[in-house]
Amino acid sequence: MAATTTITLEPAPKARAISVLGYALLGLLAREPLSGYELAQRMKMPVAFFWHARHSQIYPELARLEADGLIAHHVVEQHDRPHKKVHVISALGRTALRTWVTAPAAPAPVREELMLKAYSVWVADSAKAQTLFREQEHYHRERLARYEMFREQMERECGPDLHHVDSPSFGTYATLRAGLGYERQAVEWCAWMAAQLEEATVPAAHTTRSG
Amino acid sequence: MAATTTITLEPAPKARAISVLGYALLGLLAREPLSGYELAQRMKMPVAFFWHARHSQIYPELARLEADGLIAHHVVEQHDRPHKKVHVISALGRTALRTWVTAPAAPAPVREELMLKAYSVWVADSAKAQTLFREQEHYHRERLARYEMFREQMERECGPDLHHVDSPSFGTYATLRAGLGYERQAVEWCAWMAAQLEEATVPAAHTTRSG
DNA sequence: TAAGTCATGTAAAAAGTTACATGATTCT
DNA sequence: AGAATCATGTAACTTTTTACATGACTTA
């Protein structure tokens, strides 16, 4: 009889830890239901400023989130375009996200290749190095300009919402402000680097620089 | 006879691409010969501000660099402590490093968990969120203070060297400056976040805030 | 004697990138 | 006709983390 046999066919709910990518996706789905493709787009545009993922990572992660009951999906048939699977966050998913957001954050291990280059810049040709940092300065200047435009647009369009900390716009605005600060500081530093390297490259003008 | 047989027993030098970690290690070894353990320590202290790696990643990478002829090692016997393998950069390694330093750098894919939390902060309890960002502010303030001290020390000790772009001190100083800029901006942003969340938590004072 | 530092590795797993694979529709 | 966008996946590989494994010497 079944008296002694404990049935363990089901592998027990076994709360698998949600990866950071998982929380990134939950964060997007908490705002609106989206397909995998749309999630990949969101990752490119507003989210890439602070987190990055390809579609090849997103699709399997969605399957995992669904297996854990954090999201669900339904297929939406489209006349002109391929069908899509629209993913919706569940109550469980929303709770998990809510808990994670305020959980203590460990200092993120930084990985900045450009800093690594700066650390070894003394071995390099200073003229070539100068080019590198001018390019980087230019790149960050462009991003800064784009963020600035985006902020002005947000302040015009979402105005009062930006101070309601329980509106999604506040989340977007907050990350935008961080991005602005980061890019401003990056531009400044790259310009300083290039200037230092320039003095080394054109030593003739070191007494009467820029005037 | 051997007319048609091409001997391909040796797998051909096949210039394997050096990983970013490989360049990080070369960058440290270009300054001074170091053991794996010492490299791991350097990764913790000055390098961790912009790149991170554990000893379990460092040891195999050293083996790869040596196999590719970019570094060599010799064993140093110590009376009181275990023997160590001291790694030295080769001419080939130095050239590779030099080339990489000025090669165009692709914009680094960012991964900032805290920003991800900020993006979804609107789903959370604002009092708890405030605690999180106050903690983060505190943490960045501490790092800022440490960097500031480190900079003062460098300016005192290495003075003129800090403007010689071909001295290792310049590389260190450059990354320190970037770190200072980054931490300053992080402190400011965390404080702003906490303030926004505070207004939401204590709405009684919204007309006469701070005075 | 227990914890900490010095010292060097390996193994397994998770996270992330690059490449492979397919197919419809729309725009140039 | 070719490129771009929409759409969803898998496979192979690299990178990184966590855990396993060992052992001498030093300090509290």
Side-chain angles (χ1 to χ4, degrees), chain B:
Chain B
M1 59 178 203
T4 49
T5 54
T6 315
I7 295 148
T8 38
L9 290 176
E10 319 244 325
K14 202 197 177 191
R16 182 168 23 175
I18 306 172
S19 67
V20 181
L21 172 62
Y23 286 113
L25 299 178
L26 289 178
L28 284 165
L29 295 177
R31 294 170 172 232
E32 60 182 320
L34 293 165
S35 71
Y37 185 82
E38 289 164 332
L39 280 163
Q41 281 183 140
R42 296 288 188 292
M43 288 305 287
K44 262 187 215 146
M45 223 305 271
V47 179
F49 307 157
F50 46 93
W51 201 266
H52 189 260
R54 313 276 165 113
H55 79 272
S56 61
Q57 208 184 347
I58 292 170
Y59 286 112
E61 185 63 34
L62 285 170
R64 239 167 287 147
L65 292 174
E66 189 167 294
D68 291 350
L70 303 160
I71 61 173
H73 82 269
H74 56 268
V75 176
V76 173
E77 314 253 331
Q78 294 176 119
H79 40 289
D80 52 343
R81 287 184 258 171
H83 311 331
K84 61 178 177 179
K85 285 167 71 172
V86 173
H87 304 272
V88 184
I89 193 166
S90 70
L92 193 64
R94 205 171 274 272
T95 306
L97 178 65
R98 195 180 153 81
T99 306
W100 168 78
V101 164
T102 54
V110 189
R111 276 197 182 91
E112 293 246 31
E113 200 174 338
L114 189 66
M115 288 301 128
L116 221 41
K117 292 192 176 204
Y119 190 68
S120 293
V121 75
W122 60 279
V123 303
D125 176 87
S126 67
K128 283 184 188 167
Q130 204 198 308
T131 306
L132 172 69
F133 287 99
R134 283 277 174 233
E135 267 168 19
Q136 291 287 323
E137 183 194 341
H138 179 248
Y139 163 78
H140 286 292
R141 231 179 250 291
E142 271 184 343
R143 280 177 81 99
L144 181 59
R146 263 195 292 144
Y147 290 11
E148 210 83 71
M149 281 199 335
F150 196 13
R151 189 189 60 182
E152 275 161 35
Q153 190 197 319
M154 271 203 97
E155 286 174 352
R156 248 183 291 113
E157 286 170 23
C158 315
D161 256 32
L162 303 181
H163 296 282
H164 295 321
V165 296
D166 50 0
S167 113
S169 313
F170 175 73
T172 308
Y173 186 61
T175 55
L176 224 197
R177 283 189 70 115
L180 278 161
Y182 176 78
E183 295 301 335
R184 242 180 248 126
Q185 132 353 83
V187 165
E188 216 176 293
W189 179 77
C190 288
W192 178 83
M193 275 299 277
Q196 296 291 306
L197 292 159
E198 186 166 25
E199 277 184 61
T201 311
V202 198
H206 62 74
T207 40
T208 49
R209 63 164 174 268
S210 75

Side-chain angles (χ1 to χ4, degrees), chain A residues 59-139:
Chain A
Y59 287 111
E61 186 64 34
L62 285 170
R64 239 166 289 148
L65 292 173
E66 189 167 295
D68 291 350
L70 303 160
I71 61 174
H73 82 268
H74 56 268
V75 176
V76 173
E77 313 253 332
Q78 295 176 117
H79 40 289
D80 51 344
R81 287 185 258 172
H83 310 331
K84 60 179 178 179
K85 285 167 72 172
V86 173
H87 305 271
V88 184
I89 194 166
S90 70
L92 193 63
R94 204 171 276 271
T95 306
L97 178 65
R98 196 179 153 81
T99 306
W100 169 78
V101 165
T102 54
V110 189
R111 276 197 182 90
E112 294 246 31
E113 200 175 337
L114 189 65
M115 288 302 128
L116 221 40
K117 291 191 176 205
Y119 190 67
S120 293
V121 75
W122 61 279
V123 302
D125 176 88
S126 68
K128 283 184 189 168
Q130 205 198 307
T131 306
L132 172 69
F133 288 98
R134 283 279 175 232
E135 266 167 20
Q136 291 288 323
E137 183 194 341
H138 179 247
Y139 164 77

Side-chain angles (χ1 to χ4, degrees), chain A residues 30-200:
Chain A
R31 293 170 174 233
E32 59 182 322
L34 293 165
S35 70
Y37 185 81
E38 289 164 334
L39 281 163
Q41 282 183 138
R42 295 289 188 292
M43 288 305 287
K44 262 188 217 147
M45 225 303 274
V47 178
F49 308 156
F50 46 93
W51 201 265
H52 188 260
R54 312 277 164 111
H55 80 272
S56 61
Q57 209 185 346
I58 293 169
Y59 287 111
E61 186 64 34
L62 285 170
R64 239 166 289 148
L65 292 173
E66 189 167 295
D68 291 350
L70 303 160
I71 61 174
H73 82 268
H74 56 268
V75 176
V76 173
E77 313 253 332
Q78 295 176 117
H79 40 289
D80 51 344
R81 287 185 258 172
H83 310 331
K84 60 179 178 179
K85 285 167 72 172
V86 173
H87 305 271
V88 184
I89 194 166
S90 70
L92 193 63
R94 204 171 276 271
T95 306
L97 178 65
R98 196 179 153 81
T99 306
W100 169 78
V101 165
T102 54
V110 189
R111 276 197 182 90
E112 294 246 31
E113 200 175 337
L114 189 65
M115 288 302 128
L116 221 40
K117 291 191 176 205
Y119 190 67
S120 293
V121 75
W122 61 279
V123 302
D125 176 88
S126 68
K128 283 184 189 168
Q130 205 198 307
T131 306
L132 172 69
F133 288 98
R134 283 279 175 232
E135 266 167 20
Q136 291 288 323
E137 183 194 341
H138 179 247
Y139 164 77
H140 285 291
R141 232 180 250 290
E142 271 184 342
R143 280 177 82 99
L144 182 59
R146 264 195 292 144
Y147 289 11
E148 210 83 72
M149 281 199 337
F150 196 14
R151 188 189 61 181
E152 274 162 35
Q153 191 197 318
M154 270 205 97
E155 285 174 352
R156 249 183 290 113
E157 286 170 21
C158 317
D161 256 31
L162 303 181
H163 296 281
H164 294 323
V165 296
D166 50 359
S167 113
S169 313
F170 175 72
T172 308
Y173 185 62
T175 55
L176 223 199
R177 283 189 70 114
L180 278 161
Y182 175 79
E183 295 301 335
R184 242 180 248 126
Q185 124 6 74
V187 165
E188 217 176 292
W189 180 76
C190 288
W192 177 83
M193 275 299 277
Q196 296 291 307
L197 291 160
E198 187 165 23
E199 277 183 61

